[in-house]
Amino acid sequence: MSENKNNHDAALATLDEFSSTETGARTPSGLALIILLALPFIWSIWQIWYSSPLPQLMGFSWINEDIAKFAHLTLAMGLAFLYFPARKHSPRHYIPVFDWALALAGSACVIYLIVFRNDIVDRLGAPTSLDVVVGVSGLLLLLEATRRALGPPLMVVAAVFLAYSLAGPHMPDVIAHKGASLNKLVSHQWFTTEGVFGVAIGVSATFVFLFVLFGSLLDKAGAGNYFIKVAFSLLGHMRGGPAKAAVVASGLSGVVSGSSIANVVTTGTFTIPLMKRVGFPGTKAGAIEVAASTNGQLTPPIMGAAAFLMVEYVGISYIEVIKHAILPALISYIALIYIVHLEAVKAGMQGLQRTKKTTALESAFGFMTTFIFTMILTAVVYYGVGWTKQYMGEASSYIIITMMIAAYAALVWHASTYPDLELDDPDSKVIHVPEVGPTVKSGLYFLLPVVLLVWCLTVERWSPGTSAFWATLFMIFIVLTHKPLMAFFRKELGWQKKVRNGIDDLIDGMISGGRNMIGIGVATAAAGIVVGTITLTGIGQVMTELVELISGGSVILMLIFTAVICIILGMGLPTTANYIVVSSLMAPVIVTLGAENGLVVPLIAVHLFVFYFGILADDTPPVGLAAFAAAAISRSDPIKTGIQGFTYDIRTAILPFMFIFNTQLLLIDIESISVLLLTIFGAITAMLVFSSATQGFWLVKNKWYETAIMLLITFAMFRPGYFWDKLYEPTRELPATELQQLVDNSAQGDKFMLKATGMTIEGDEATKVLQFKIDEEIIQSDNRLEALGLALQVSEEQITVDMPAYGSQAQEGGLDWGWEILNVQVKADRPSKYWVYIPSVLLLMFLGWLQYRRRANSDPETGDAHV
């Protein structure tokens, strides 16, 4: 009993700590309060201005990405010391002089880089004594700012990596390195773009801030409440409806929030008490919210800002990242809703009452009407805008803006005919499910800036920063005008007062956006220390050798060990820092060891693999901060909540293993519509079957052998190629002498693999398999082999690689001078692997028939036959 109380107290403390982290724990007055409100507001204004076309038009060419990084960290570090007290018992109602001094010192260490920028570039690699003092001070203050804003985990990780850089020669042999002097460490981490001011903080300064600000403004306008109410109206009447609504609401809230813990706190305060009221135990109610919120970080288009980092790290477009991430995220959410349904059926739960009952025919008619209207509207927008741009030239922009504002005004007018949405009290005695139609229509205008954002990203193919700028600008317009317009259309008195309310909401949203970026700003900077350590010490190669030693050359064991390490590394880290750390340290391990063992995996699949397991740390005991937050709301044990949440998230944990071996789950190499449909069908079916297997329940409680068969069906439908490879060889080998002919006769999009052996930079003999793709540039080249980087030296005994061209596929794959080509591997002609689906579906139907017969005369909870 005492242990449960201690755990619950720890959960409450975690929730309190999280709330402090998100909003800042200080509430000063006077000049200090004005500064705490003014600086985040100014930061938001600066970021909007920097992302706009104005700097270019006004000739501010000196404000480049480096200056943006410096300004970003200057404000993030300064605000971290002002907003967050040093300790739990530090003063909250005023800012101590010491914290003012730390804020100024932290900011000064970054401003030093701006003021003496040219001098630092001239002496790069040979820092002066003052440079070293500034660099050491900056790193130490960054660690302290990270501890205050985000808690100890990331600070400890960064500090360990800094210590590792200095103490390399004194480390155990397996992880030892030659070490770095203090001067070299400081120069590398603070004065170059390899460490603190690397890619991560650049993405934070150019892309992430605007998306966080966009979400803050969206939430301030009332969109967060709207999403929750819409999900509740759609699903609240079903069995376990509040839990299903929690899943959908958490997914929708991912647009607003970039944190799984924030999702838990915002949607969980409403959904968790409701789940408990309809019959879910506190542990399961909290676990469902945790599982849904965790998956929100894996769901496009934002993915907790990791999507924008993947663009930089993987080297593909934003659209490609979204395309590859969408199917796993969707089937994971579908499976979680199904798991909730199984839990509700097992417990005999009923849905909540609708305020107005509708027949099945009315529901179907309403759905079809909405679907047809949406399709017509989509076609009108897509082709209408396309026609406008084609025939109206420069005037098209003004016409499109006018059309968007007109659509906004029409939707606000339509929303004004319905009452405002208010969140029900989840603890009240009677809760009714709101009507779907009025609930959805009351806030459709909130979707317009989201539509604009997606349009700019996917159709216009603008950069994430530019797209976020225009979406944020539109969102500012909505925040300022939607309340006055609503009052005007309703003919309410005093609508002028609503104008003031809109201005207040905008100011609050701008301040909130800047405040929410403090943690992300220092997180990306601190995570840059980890990246800098990897490039400085070569620890990435050490991790590869360590995992190879532990796994004994087994690909499956290598993936399992990598997954476990990612979960450990991700514990307690915010989403952006989480991805930076696991992708920098562990992604190269899979790429290198996979190539050495014949497993050629696209880089995006590797990055999604490590990201998935890094995020799963949010609900994995004993840290599991999201589980602690949910347990505080549900008044349950956080460890049990975390364990239950992880059992729900096993469905998510198997996905990375599946898409590493079957990249079609990431919509890679989808050759036709039929293959796409089969891939989607197989993935959804496999995930639902796996959910039934892990829950031990389908139509009735599973027998042990039924669970085993379900797991077999799951594997077969996720990886149909595994069994097909046993019957038909997936590739055929050609001698290296046929490489020239193969490449010359290839068409655009064709792929082939080379098996090569040679000596690495470290002097070790290695054998690896590399994949090459014939793209448009290769097709147009006069010498295709050389364009691939495969200039060859041919002798009677062997074919070896000459020096590959920099940036070529051969060079990026790791081939070097003198490597011998052993053979060429091409895709074999064989029947479609999807024939495996037929016996799998038939076996599933047989299982369904068995359970259907047993359900008629058995107890659904136990599965035992009635006597």
Side-chain angles (χ1 to χ4, degrees):
M1 192 75 175
S2 175
E3 183 181 352
N4 287 341
K5 184 178 185 305
N6 291 338
N7 284 340
H8 184 247
D9 290 344
L12 287 173
T14 300
L15 183 60
D16 180 63
E17 182 181 344
F18 166 75
S19 299
S20 299
T21 300
E22 284 293 293
T23 61
R26 282 196 170 124
T27 55
S29 58
L31 180 61
L33 176 61
I34 294 173
I35 292 174
L36 285 188
L37 296 178
L39 286 178
F41 182 81
I42 293 170
W43 194 5
S44 296
I45 294 293
W46 149 259
Q47 290 288 164
I48 293 173
W49 183 79
Y50 170 70
S51 301
S52 73
L54 291 177
Q56 254 186 334
L57 295 175
M58 298 170 66
F60 287 91
S61 56
W62 58 273
I63 300 182
N64 53 24
E65 187 177 339
D66 287 339
I67 298 297
K69 292 177 186 178
F70 299 149
H72 195 71
L73 189 56
T74 297
L75 286 162
M77 282 182 68
L79 287 170
F81 289 112
L82 298 181
Y83 264 93
F84 305 105
R87 297 184 302 274
K88 290 183 179 179
H89 303 295
S90 297
R92 298 297 200 266
H93 301 297
Y94 69 92
I95 303 174
V97 174
F98 183 64
D99 284 356
W100 284 108
L102 290 179
L104 290 173
S107 299
C109 288
V110 186
I111 293 173
Y112 179 86
L113 299 174
I114 301 175
V115 175
F116 299 102
R117 186 180 176 203
N118 293 331
D119 295 335
I120 291 170
V121 170
D122 291 338
R123 61 174 180 262
L124 195 61
T128 64
S129 298
L130 180 59
D131 290 344
V132 174
V133 170
V134 170
V136 170
S137 301
L139 290 171
L140 293 176
L141 289 168
L142 175 59
L143 293 179
E144 172 59 11
T146 304
R147 183 192 69 82
R148 291 194 183 197
L150 301 165
L154 181 56
M155 183 273 290
V156 171
V157 170
V160 167
F161 274 78
L162 285 175
Y164 176 75
S165 298
L166 294 170
H170 309 292
M171 291 289 174
D173 289 343
V174 69
I175 59 171
H177 64 94
K178 65 180 182 179
S181 66
L182 182 62
N183 283 12
K184 185 176 181 181
L185 172 66
V186 169
S187 179
H188 189 82
Q189 294 284 10
W190 195 256
F191 293 103
T192 72
T193 56
E194 295 291 329
V196 170
F197 299 99
V199 170
I201 198 170
V203 172
S204 179
T206 52
F207 302 157
V208 177
F209 191 104
L210 281 182
F211 279 90
V212 171
L213 179 59
F214 176 78
S216 177
L217 292 171
L218 200 61
D219 192 40
K220 185 58 66 175
N225 176 34
Y226 173 70
F227 291 151
I228 294 174
K229 293 292 283 188
V230 167
F232 191 50
S233 69
L234 291 170
L235 303 170
H237 67 289
M238 299 179 179
R239 285 188 171 190
K244 294 174 182 174
V247 174
V248 175
S250 293
L252 293 173
S253 294
V255 176
V256 178
S257 167
S259 161
S260 54
I261 310 171
N263 264 6
V264 168
V265 174
T266 52
T267 61
T269 50
F270 177 71
T271 58
I272 290 175
L274 272 180
M275 284 189 266
K276 292 178 68 176
R277 284 200 53 199
V278 298
F280 284 95
T283 300
K284 288 188 176 180
I288 290 168
E289 181 61 46
V290 167
S293 298
T294 301
N295 272 110
Q297 301 307 289
L298 305 171
T299 306
I302 308 299
M303 298 168 65
F308 312 116
L309 289 164
M310 285 183 190
V311 170
E312 301 295 323
Y313 285 174
V314 181
I316 60 177
S317 69
Y318 174 80
I319 302 303
E320 289 291 305
V321 171
I322 299 309
K323 183 185 82 171
H324 298 320
I326 189 67
L327 183 57
L330 286 180
I331 62 177
S332 192
Y333 265 115
I334 291 170
L336 184 56
I337 293 175
Y338 182 60
I339 287 172
V340 169
H341 177 74
L342 294 178
E343 291 280 19
V345 171
K346 286 192 287 184
M349 297 179 193
Q350 299 298 321
L352 298 175
Q353 293 182 347
R354 280 195 183 279
T355 53
K356 179 183 177 182
K357 292 186 178 180
T358 56
T359 64
L361 184 60
E362 288 174 332
S363 299
F365 179 76
F367 173 79
M368 288 305 299
T369 302
T370 304
F371 179 78
I372 293 171
F373 175 76
T374 303
M375 292 299 100
I376 293 174
L377 183 62
T378 302
V380 169
V381 171
Y382 184 85
Y383 292 105
V385 172
W387 176 84
T388 302
K389 292 178 65 176
Q390 184 175 354
Y391 293 102
M392 296 297 177
E394 294 181 0
S396 62
S397 299
Y398 301 101
I399 294 173
I400 292 170
I401 291 171
T402 304
M403 290 169 57
M404 186 69 76
I405 293 174
Y408 164 66
L411 289 174
V412 173
W413 169 79
H414 191 55
S416 69
T417 61
Y418 299 96
D420 292 332
L421 295 178
E422 297 291 342
L423 270 180
D424 298 321
D425 180 4
D427 296 318
S428 64
K429 292 184 178 180
V430 179
I431 292 285
H432 289 285
V433 179
E435 293 183 51
V436 176
T439 303
V440 172
K441 294 172 186 175
S442 65
L444 280 175
Y445 60 90
F446 287 132
L447 301 179
L448 283 177
V450 179
V451 170
L452 177 63
L453 175 64
V454 173
W455 175 276
C456 292
L457 287 168
T458 59
V459 179
E460 300 291 345
R461 298 297 179 100
W462 291 345
S463 71
T466 303
S467 302
F469 166 73
W470 289 110
T472 302
L473 213 60
F474 190 26
M475 196 65 238
I476 290 173
F477 175 72
I478 290 176
V479 172
L480 285 172
T481 60
H482 79 112
K483 286 183 179 178
L485 277 176
M486 195 80 74
F488 176 77
F489 288 134
R490 288 172 177 168
K491 299 181 179 179
E492 296 175 351
L493 296 176
W495 63 267
Q496 295 88 345
K497 185 180 178 182
K498 299 290 185 179
V499 174
R500 177 64 187 175
N501 291 342
I503 295 173
D504 290 342
D505 286 344
L506 174 61
I507 293 172
D508 288 347
M510 301 281 270
I511 293 170
S512 178
R515 191 170 55 212
N516 292 342
M517 272 304 298
I518 298 172
I520 297 176
V522 296
T524 50
I529 292 175
V530 177
V531 179
T533 302
I534 293 170
T535 57
L536 180 64
T537 65
I539 190 179
Q541 181 61 32
V542 172
M543 291 301 300
T544 300
E545 293 172 358
L546 182 62
V547 173
E548 183 178 25
L549 177 66
I550 297 173
S551 64
S554 168
V555 173
I556 291 295
L557 287 179
M558 177 264 290
L559 292 173
I560 291 173
F561 285 128
T562 302
V564 171
I565 294 171
C566 287
I567 290 176
I568 294 171
L569 288 172
M571 287 183 174
L573 301 189
T575 300
T576 46
N578 191 323
Y579 170 67
I580 295 164
V581 171
V582 296
S583 64
S584 301
L585 197 58
M586 300 311 300
V589 173
I590 299 178
V591 172
T592 302
L593 295 183
E596 290 177 1
N597 290 276
L599 177 66
V600 179
V601 187
L603 192 55
I604 182 64
V606 175
H607 278 251
L608 285 173
F609 181 94
V610 296
F611 181 50
Y612 264 60
F613 284 105
I615 292 300
L616 285 177
D618 280 348
D619 67 356
T620 304
V623 179
L625 296 182
F628 273 77
I633 299 170
S634 64
R635 297 181 176 88
S636 59
D637 185 279
I639 301 300
K640 291 180 180 178
T641 301
I643 293 171
Q644 185 68 54
F646 188 76
T647 62
Y648 291 151
D649 266 341
I650 289 176
R651 77 197 193 288
T652 304
I654 70 160
L655 275 172
F657 288 96
M658 295 300 108
F659 62 59
I660 282 288
F661 292 101
N662 180 15
T663 55
Q664 286 181 322
L665 293 173
L666 301 179
L667 304 184
I668 295 173
D669 293 335
I670 300 294
E671 300 154 357
S672 62
I673 294 295
S674 61
V675 172
L676 174 63
L677 295 176
L678 283 170
T679 300
I680 294 172
F681 166 76
I684 293 175
T685 304
M687 186 55 85
L688 295 181
V689 173
F690 182 75
S691 299
S692 290
T694 54
Q695 293 303 302
F697 191 94
W698 187 15
L699 303 180
V700 292
K701 186 176 181 181
N702 295 345
K703 302 290 186 183
W704 69 267
Y705 57 84
E706 291 175 332
T707 296
I709 293 173
M710 285 180 177
L711 292 175
L712 177 64
I713 293 171
T714 299
F715 184 76
M717 300 202 74
F718 265 138
R719 278 198 64 194
Y722 178 82
F723 297 102
W724 218 233
D725 291 348
K726 303 298 180 184
L727 298 174
Y728 303 95
E729 288 292 334
T731 60
R732 57 190 180 94
E733 291 186 1
L734 302 175
T737 52
E738 295 188 19
L739 176 58
Q740 179 75 61
Q741 182 181 355
L742 172 69
V743 173
D744 288 342
N745 294 334
S746 294
Q748 184 173 336
D750 286 351
K751 297 179 180 179
F752 66 92
M753 292 183 290
L754 290 184
K755 187 174 184 180
T757 184
M759 187 172 292
T760 64
I761 297 175
E762 292 78 19
D764 301 321
E765 286 290 334
T767 300
K768 61 173 64 178
V769 177
L770 298 92
Q771 186 176 73
F772 292 82
K773 182 178 181 179
I774 307 296
D775 55 26
E776 184 178 358
E777 182 182 348
I778 304 300
I779 290 290
Q780 296 175 352
S781 174
D782 293 333
N783 191 325
R784 294 185 179 183
L785 273 182
E786 288 190 2
L788 288 167
L790 292 172
L792 304 178
Q793 295 179 351
V794 182
S795 67
E796 294 181 0
E797 298 180 354
Q798 61 182 8
I799 296 178
T800 57
V801 179
D802 204 346
M803 186 61 70
Y806 179 78
S808 66
Q809 293 185 39
Q811 187 267 335
E812 291 180 350
L815 284 185
D816 206 342
W817 179 85
W819 277 59
E820 180 185 357
I821 305 296
L822 299 178
N823 59 51
V824 184
Q825 301 173 15
V826 295
K827 188 177 179 181
D829 293 327
R830 60 176 186 168
S832 172
K833 64 183 179 181
Y834 293 107
W835 287 106
V836 172
Y837 283 0
I838 294 178
S840 301
V841 171
L842 291 175
L843 188 55
L844 182 61
M845 292 171 65
F846 176 69
L847 276 184
W849 177 72
L850 289 179
Q851 292 208 355
Y852 179 79
R853 288 185 60 195
R854 199 161 74 248
R855 185 175 66 173
N857 56 357
S858 67
D859 181 349
E861 178 63 29
T862 65
D864 297 329
H866 290 305
V867 179

